Amino acid sequence: MKLMITIVTCLLLWSLMLLSFFIIFNHQLHNAATNGSTDSGKPRDKLLGRLLTDEFDEDSCLSRYQSSLYRKPSPYKPSRYLVSKLRSYEMLHKRCGPGTKAYKKATESLCENYSSKSVGECRYIVWIAVYGLGNRVLTLASLFLYALLTDRIMHVDQRKDINDLLCEPFPGTSWLLPLDFPLTDQLDSFDRESPRCYGTMLKNHAINSTIIIPSYLCLYLIHDYDDYDKMFFCEKDQLLIREVPWLVFNSNLYFIPSLWLIPSFQSELSKLFPQKETVFHHLARYLFHPTNQVWGMITRSYNAYLSRADERLGIQVRVFSKPAGYFQHVMDQIVACTQREKLLPEVFVSESQVTNTSRSSKLKAVLVTSLYPEYSEILKQMYWKGPSLTGEIVQVYQPSQEMYQQTDNKLHDQKALAEIYLLSLTDHIVTSDSSTFGYVAQGLGGLKSWILYKPKNNTAPEPPCVRAVSMEPCFLRAPLYGCQAKEVKITPFVMYCSDRITGLKLVDSN
C-alpha cells in the first residue's frame, strides 16, 4: 500500500513538473512570436523607439505591434521631444475628443457665425477625404503635424472607407468625426469658391484681424489653389487662423515642407525632427496602422512571396498618360533603370553561356504594383526564358491587376493600402514620377527610391531614372512665390523636387 502511494505521489509530482515546463516553454514561444529578435539576439522594438504607446489591445489592431516583425529596424530614431509631444497630444485628444463635454460645447458654437469668446484649450481640425489613397495619406500626415504645432485636435471624415483601412491611432478616444457633426452636410461644398474658405474671404475682404473671429474656416489646399488660398502659409495669416476654433481642410497635397518655412514653426519643428527628412517616416509609422483585414492581405502576401528571398525589390508603375495602360517605352525604361542601377541582373542571351549552376543561388523577389498586368508578366517571362548573368534567381510577383483606379471602392482601397505597405517592406524601391502612392511607400519604409522620369513623346527618357535625394514626399504644388519666395531660395533644408519642378521637398542640409 505504501509502495502504491509512493508511486502515485511520484507520478503526480512528475506531471506537475511536466506541466510547469510546458507552461514556461509556451511562454517563451509566445515572447519570441510577439517580441521577436534581430540577428544580434536583441529583442525587437515593437514600440518603435517609444513612437507608439503601449496602451492599445494588441488583438484589436495586429499591425500596430507586429510591423517590426516584417521590416528591419529603422536607422532613424524619433527624438525624445517628438515622443513627449505625441504623449501630450494623446492626452489632449482624450480631453477634447468626441463624447467629451468640451467637444459638445465646441460643436454648439458652430451654430454661430462668429466666435467672440475664448474657446479654451480645445480647438479642432477636420480632414475631408478627397482624391486617391496616396493623396489622403499624405494630407493626413500634413494635417496631423499642423495639429501638433498648433495644439489642435484632428478629426477625420469617416463617410468614405477610412475606418476599413486604418486603425484608430490615438488610445482611449477616436479620431473619427461623428456623423452628427453639425457641418457634415456642408463638407462636400467647401470648394475654392466657398464663401467660408479663407482664400475667398480674403479676396472679398470678408476677414481680417480687427473683426470678430469666425467660428470656423475652410482651408482650400487642393492642387489648383490660387494665390489667396496660398496665404495660409504666411506668418501674419497664421496669427489670425490660429484664433479660429474650427478649421476644415480640403487638401490633396503634402504641404509639410512649407510649414518649415513659417518662422514661428521652425524652432518647434527642429526640436521635433532634428533629421528633417524623417518627418513623414516617423509620422506615418505613428499614424497609419492597417486594419486586421488589410494586415491579413499584407502578411499572407509577404509570407508567400517575399519572406524567403535574400533581397526584395519593389517596382511601382503608375502611367499618367491618357489613355493609360501598357506601353513598350515604359517597359524599356523600367528594364533600363533597374539594370543600370544594378537592382536587377541582366539576362544571358543563350543557355550555353551559363557557367554558374549552383543550387545555392541568391533569390531576389520582385514585387510589382501596377493597375496593369503586362509589366510584371514581361519581367517574369524575361527571367524565366533566360538565366541571369549573376546567377541570381529572380521571382516576380504582382498582388493585383485592377486595370483602373476605383477610389472609394472598399476592396480596391484595401488592396492599394496593402500594396503600399508591401512596397515599404522591400530593400530597394523604384517608383513613378510624381506618384503619391510611391511617396507613401518610400517614406513609410525609410527608403530613398529610384524615380522613373516621366516619358515624353512615347520615348523612354535618358537617363531612365534618378535616385531621390531624400525619403521625404514632394509637395507637388508648393507656393514658390508670395510670402515664402525668399525662404524657398535661401533655406538649405528645402529643395526643388527632381521629379516636379513646381514642388519642394525636405532634405538634410548636409
Side-chain angles (χ1 to χ4, degrees), residues 261-333:
L261 300 179
I262 298 174
S264 60
F265 291 160
Q266 282 189 10
S267 176
E268 182 78 353
L269 284 167
S270 294
K271 290 191 291 184
L272 289 169
F273 303 101
Q275 292 176 285
K276 296 172 179 62
E277 68 172 82
T278 65
V279 177
F280 182 76
H281 180 60
H282 291 321
L283 293 179
R285 292 186 304 148
Y286 173 77
L287 281 178
F288 306 127
H289 308 288
T291 59
N292 286 352
Q293 186 173 359
V294 178
W295 187 240
M297 296 178 181
I298 295 165
T299 55
R300 285 189 294 273
S301 292
Y302 184 89
N303 291 332
Y305 301 100
L306 303 178
S307 62
R308 287 179 286 276
D310 298 293
E311 188 176 298
R312 289 162 283 273
L313 171 66
I315 302 177
Q316 180 257 337
V317 185
R318 176 68 190 271
V319 180
F320 288 100
S321 61
K322 294 182 180 181
Y326 173 78
F327 295 99
Q328 185 60 47
H329 64 272
V330 176
M331 188 71 238
D332 294 340
Q333 181 183 4

Side-chain angles (χ1 to χ4, degrees), residues 333 337 429-435 439 442 448-454 463-470 472 474 497-500 505:
Q333 181 183 4
C337 173
I429 187 172
V430 176
T431 62
S432 295
D433 177 295
S434 305
S435 171
Y439 292 156
Q442 73 165 16
K448 293 181 182 179
S449 69
W450 280 265
I451 303 171
L452 296 167
Y453 283 119
K454 185 175 291 185
C465 58
V466 63
R467 186 76 185 274
V469 294
S470 87
E472 272 290 293
C474 177
C497 304
S498 54
D499 54 336
R500 181 66 72 93
K505 73 184 308 179

Side-chain angles (χ1 to χ4, degrees), residues 239-258:
L239 293 174
L240 189 157
I241 291 170
R242 70 181 51 172
E243 300 299 323
V244 181
W246 288 87
L247 301 179
V248 181
F249 276 82
N250 196 351
S251 177
N252 67 340
L253 296 168
Y254 180 75
F255 56 78
I256 284 176
S258 283

Side-chain angles (χ1 to χ4, degrees), residues 127 136-144 154 156 162 287-288:
W127 171 83
R136 293 180 181 185
V137 170
L138 294 180
T139 57
L140 274 171
S142 301
L143 283 186
F144 181 63
M154 186 174 76
V156 302
I162 190 73
L287 281 178
F288 306 127

Side-chain angles (χ1 to χ4, degrees), residues 92-325:
L92 180 64
H93 202 112
K94 286 178 183 178
R95 295 195 298 271
C96 301
T100 63
K101 290 182 180 179
Y103 173 82
K104 182 180 179 182
K105 182 180 178 181
T107 53
E108 288 172 352
S109 71
L110 286 169
C111 299
E112 307 167 6
N113 284 330
Y114 296 96
S115 175
S116 58
K117 57 185 177 180
S118 173
V119 294
E121 70 169 349
C122 299
R123 294 174 300 151
Y124 300 85
I125 287 174
V126 175
W127 171 83
I128 303 175
V130 293
Y131 289 84
L133 183 62
N135 299 86
R136 293 180 181 185
V137 170
L138 294 180
T139 57
L140 274 171
S142 301
L143 283 186
F144 181 63
L145 180 56
Y146 185 68
L148 288 182
L149 293 171
T150 57
D151 297 315
R152 289 181 179 270
I153 305 304
M154 186 174 76
H155 286 128
V156 302
D157 178 13
Q158 63 168 309
R159 294 172 301 158
K160 304 296 172 67
D161 55 13
I162 190 73
N163 211 21
D164 298 312
L165 299 173
L166 298 171
C167 302
E168 294 274 6
F170 313 130
T173 183
S174 177
W175 70 340
L176 298 176
L177 183 70
L179 293 173
D180 61 356
F181 178 62
L183 301 180
T184 296
D185 293 339
Q186 302 177 47
L187 293 181
D188 294 330
S189 66
F190 288 140
D191 57 22
R192 194 170 63 180
E193 305 302 322
S194 170
R196 290 306 293 262
C197 279
Y198 186 60
T200 304
M201 295 184 80
L202 286 177
K203 194 183 307 182
N204 297 334
H205 306 288
I207 187 172
N208 61 60
S209 58
T210 62
I211 66 172
I212 297 175
I213 301 298
S215 57
Y216 70 91
L217 272 180
C218 161
L219 283 307
Y220 185 86
L221 302 179
I222 300 287
H223 59 271
D224 62 348
Y225 62 161
D226 64 19
D227 290 341
Y228 287 100
D229 299 310
K230 294 173 185 176
M231 297 290 282
F232 169 78
F233 298 106
C234 299
E235 180 73 56
K236 65 180 181 64
D237 294 82
Q238 280 297 318
L239 293 174
L240 189 157
I241 291 170
R242 70 181 51 172
E243 300 299 323
V244 181
W246 288 87
L247 301 179
V248 181
F249 276 82
N250 196 351
S251 177
N252 67 340
L253 296 168
Y254 180 75
F255 56 78
I256 284 176
S258 283
L259 293 181
W260 280 81
L261 300 179
I262 298 174
S264 60
F265 291 160
Q266 282 189 10
S267 176
E268 182 78 353
L269 284 167
S270 294
K271 290 191 291 184
L272 289 169
F273 303 101
Q275 292 176 285
K276 296 172 179 62
E277 68 172 82
T278 65
V279 177
F280 182 76
H281 180 60
H282 291 321
L283 293 179
R285 292 186 304 148
Y286 173 77
L287 281 178
F288 306 127
H289 308 288
T291 59
N292 286 352
Q293 186 173 359
V294 178
W295 187 240
M297 296 178 181
I298 295 165
T299 55
R300 285 189 294 273
S301 292
Y302 184 89
N303 291 332
Y305 301 100
L306 303 178
S307 62
R308 287 179 286 276
D310 298 293
E311 188 176 298
R312 289 162 283 273
L313 171 66
I315 302 177
Q316 180 257 337
V317 185
R318 176 68 190 271
V319 180
F320 288 100
S321 61
K322 294 182 180 181

